[in-house]
Amino acid sequence: MSTKRKDANQLNMHLAETTSSLKNRLQGGEFVVQFETPLPLSQEPFDSAVENGRNLMKASKADDLVSGVVITDRTRGEECHDIVEVAEALMDAADAPLVLTFAGKNRSGQAFRELLARAESAGISGILSVTGDRSAEHPHGDQPGKRRTKARPDYLDSAEMIHRIHHSGANVLIGGTVNPFKYTVSDQYLQYYKALRKINSGSDYLVTHIGWDMSKLQALQWYLQMREFSIPVLARIALLSMEEINQIHEDYLPGTPVPKNFAAMLQREASLGYNQSLSAQLHRIGLQAAGCKLMGYSGVQIRGVSGQETANMVINRIREALNTYSSYPAWLEAWKEHHTDLRFSPLLNGFYTFRNLLNTDHPMYEPDKCPLTEESFPQPSGKDRMHAGLYRFLNEPPLLSSLTQRIQRLLCPGCDNKDSCRPEYCEYLCPAECPKQLMYGPCGNSSPDGTCEFGGAPCFFHRVLALAAAGKKLDTLESGIAS
Ligand code: SF4
Ligand code: SF4
């Protein structure tokens, strides 16, 4: 029977059960595994395209370690089947928790509101908000610092979506993402601050970007523990297909650095054949999951699992690794032995937030054993200081002379975003200088060296961070979004 046709009582019962099981498991400190399935493209026949999602729901229902499925949004393209219809088809296959990812790319605020209402009434368990990568409709030649390129697509900021869901009263678990795999001091702290902004805006849990650098996953936990933020965090882990491994390069996954030597290792494994490659990946996934658990993660979200048989292999390997590596020193020895001297940083001197990562005898943050790496944020330019100071000064009433109005127009010529623009969240710089016009913090997709996803210049938020640091107002970068 289609979920669409279930009556209101059935829907409410379903919602209460699944939401509560996922929420209780996360908040009760249980380690969970979630499988991802990508939203199918609209050109794919519906029934065959949702088959893998159905299988993953059945695998989830059949095994206690797995706590449901996550549908990722617009990762394969922007012309997709309706995510709520896909969700209903998956929930018909098995009654397991289902989380929908909502990507903000190419989505207006109105479209988001409508989608949220439909998702809630369909009885889904949670919504994971992501800003998303560059839209295929984005005009070429855009880069940070360019204010007015014609007809940019909408990008709804993930923090704003979290704020809106939180205030909508929707009975769903609210998730936000964080990218711990950044290798400049500015990019890394910007990700931490934005994650805290998401928590302060209503996020119930966080999910990391995909990555293999376990030092970075430990650093995120240490940072949250140092700041005394206690929130469930899931680490996103990838199982790659042979086709993906053969094509993999440094920028293969948006926002996820794949170091050359690691890509070479994957390709060496693949050259031995499918079974050897799968076996090596399963071993690594098990080790990653066990390490995450020991470091304080609440679970893992696995991308790339196709078919019930592979799902079972992944579950068995994770269960085996959780049992085998129950102590941190034993896990650390196994991880180091498997990767010998492999360097996961894509930069020669990539930034790590703490010293002693993957080196102490204790996986959790301890102030005297986990010193911060001392590295200052860059200074703001004189032009940015003047722009921000003037903007703030001129917006203090009652300075309304024609001269001040003229200067105001120079600083902010106005644009289609005038009504929603809140430059106080980005140190009074113009948010239109970010190609995605974000104002609450960066997306997760800058390159390892800090260059914007669109190229051409460093991420716009480096300048925001520099101004906030110089003004000793870093806390403003992590404040919740005000209504
Ligand atoms: S309204 Fe906001 S985004 Fe538009 S030009 Fe002014 S400061 Fe920039
Ligand atoms: S400027 Fe930063 S936040 Fe904006 S699109 Fe580029 S990388 Fe993303």
Side-chain angles (χ1 to χ4, degrees):
M1 185 176 75
S2 160
T3 311
K4 271 189 217 162
R5 294 191 293 275
K6 286 176 182 165
D7 67 28
N9 284 342
Q10 280 175 301
L11 282 177
N12 288 340
M13 274 171 58
H14 178 270
L15 177 63
E17 279 162 20
T18 53
T19 301
S20 131
S21 69
L22 183 58
K23 192 171 188 170
N24 289 351
R25 290 181 73 173
L26 284 179
Q27 293 180 344
E30 232 180 288
F31 190 79
V32 301
V33 174
Q34 291 193 300
F35 287 130
E36 284 183 16
T37 187
L39 188 62
L41 299 174
S42 37
Q43 72 214 39
E44 297 168 323
F46 187 86
D47 273 326
S48 57
V50 298
E51 197 50 34
N52 188 46
R54 286 181 169 133
N55 287 334
L56 295 177
M57 287 292 275
K58 288 177 195 159
S60 166
K61 183 74 183 165
D63 195 298
D64 276 354
L65 185 59
V66 188
S67 72
V69 172
V70 181
I71 304 179
T72 58
D73 186 21
R74 301 181 179 184
T75 47
R76 298 172 59 214
E78 287 166 49
E79 294 295 317
C80 296
H81 283 290
D82 180 85
I83 194 165
V84 178
E85 284 177 19
V86 173
E88 288 171 334
L90 266 53
M91 287 191 294
D92 278 351
D95 184 19
L98 188 63
V99 172
L100 303 194
T101 308
F102 283 178
K105 75 169 163 180
N106 219 343
R107 182 163 274 144
S108 67
Q110 178 60 27
F112 169 74
R113 269 191 294 278
E114 288 166 12
L115 190 57
L116 175 62
R118 290 178 55 228
E120 199 199 8
S121 59
I124 62 107
S125 299
I127 293 172
L128 178 61
S129 298
V130 301
T131 304
D133 58 344
R134 177 186 185 140
S135 165
E137 291 178 18
H138 204 105
H140 288 290
D142 205 356
Q143 64 181 60
K146 282 196 176 178
R147 263 199 210 175
R148 280 162 286 159
T149 13
K150 293 182 276 181
R152 281 168 167 164
D154 288 319
Y155 292 90
L156 203 50
D157 190 303
S158 52
E160 188 176 347
M161 285 192 272
I162 288 166
H163 168 76
R164 289 189 188 197
I165 301 168
H166 183 62
H167 282 85
S168 73
N171 182 22
V172 292
L173 200 62
I174 307 172
T177 51
V178 53
N179 191 342
F181 303 102
K182 293 292 175 191
Y183 293 88
T184 73
V185 63
S186 298
D187 286 300
Q188 190 60 92
Y189 273 95
L190 279 164
Q191 283 299 316
Y192 292 160
Y193 295 143
K194 184 146 187 197
L196 299 189
R197 169 159 286 162
K198 292 175 186 181
I199 298 170
N200 288 328
S201 299
S203 190
D204 297 312
Y205 74 108
L206 295 175
V207 180
T208 71
H209 272 227
I210 289 170
W212 293 271
D213 188 343
M214 295 301 288
S215 297
K216 283 288 181 185
L217 286 173
Q218 187 170 48
L220 172 64
Q221 279 293 338
W222 282 8
Y223 187 79
L224 292 171
Q225 290 158 16
M226 180 184 78
R227 297 291 311 274
E228 298 182 348
F229 275 84
S230 172
I231 185 164
V233 187
L234 305 187
R236 200 165 166 230
I237 293 179
L239 177 68
L240 299 166
S241 67
M242 293 294 270
E243 197 186 350
E244 286 180 309
I245 291 174
N246 288 331
Q247 293 172 6
I248 206 158
H249 53 80
E250 278 170 292
D251 304 319
Y252 183 71
L253 297 163
T256 295
V258 184
K260 279 194 184 76
N261 48 2
F262 182 64
M265 182 187 200
L266 290 170
Q267 284 165 353
R268 263 196 315 276
E269 291 164 359
S271 69
L272 301 174
Y274 172 77
N275 287 342
Q276 283 85 344
S277 174
L278 180 62
S279 163
Q281 286 203 77
L282 288 175
H283 181 60
R284 194 172 296 112
I285 285 173
L287 276 174
Q288 279 194 280
C292 285
K293 184 175 183 203
L294 290 160
M295 289 173 187
Y297 281 84
S298 301
V300 287
Q301 184 175 306
I302 317 273
R303 166 201 180 274
V305 177
S306 183
Q308 223 164 338
E309 194 187 338
T310 312
N312 290 336
M313 282 195 263
V314 170
I315 298 167
N316 290 340
R317 186 52 67 101
I318 290 178
R319 181 173 282 114
E320 188 186 313
L322 294 178
N323 291 333
T324 306
Y325 306 109
S326 54
S327 88
Y328 179 67
W331 172 81
L332 191 55
E333 194 184 332
W335 178 257
K336 288 186 172 176
E337 189 185 309
H338 187 68
H339 294 97
T340 52
D341 56 355
L342 187 69
R343 186 169 53 82
F344 283 93
S345 168
L347 305 179
L348 201 53
N349 291 309
F351 174 79
Y352 285 83
T353 318
F354 294 92
R355 289 187 276 132
N356 288 345
L357 291 159
L358 297 193
N359 263 325
T360 61
D361 56 4
H362 200 279
M364 303 297 183
Y365 175 74
E366 291 180 50
D368 50 336
K369 288 186 181 171
C370 312
L372 284 163
T373 306
E374 281 172 28
E375 189 167 331
S376 307
F377 295 132
Q379 289 292 311
S381 69
K383 186 176 158 222
D384 281 350
R385 277 185 203 266
M386 193 163 72
H387 180 111
L390 263 177
Y391 198 111
R392 197 179 295 112
F393 176 69
L394 293 172
N395 277 282
E396 301 286 338
L399 289 169
L400 292 171
S401 71
S402 65
L403 176 63
T404 60
Q405 283 174 0
R406 251 182 273 162
I407 300 173
Q408 267 176 332
R409 273 198 295 280
L410 269 179
L411 297 173
C412 161
C415 68
D416 293 347
N417 294 342
K418 187 88 186 160
D419 291 343
S420 58
C421 182
R422 302 170 86 178
E424 65 273 25
Y425 283 92
C426 52
E427 289 298 309
Y428 295 94
L429 296 182
C430 166
E433 292 195 46
C434 158
K436 295 179 184 169
Q437 307 193 193
L438 304 181
M439 53 194 147
Y440 298 115
C443 67
N445 296 348
S446 58
S447 300
D449 66 356
T451 304
C452 170
E453 178 185 4
F454 290 75
C459 170
F460 162 73
F461 283 94
H462 288 201
R463 291 161 54 202
V464 174
L465 177 74
L467 282 167
K472 304 204 180 330
K473 298 178 290 156
L474 288 168
D475 55 328
T476 60
L477 302 181
E478 60 187 51
S479 60
I481 297 176
S483 295

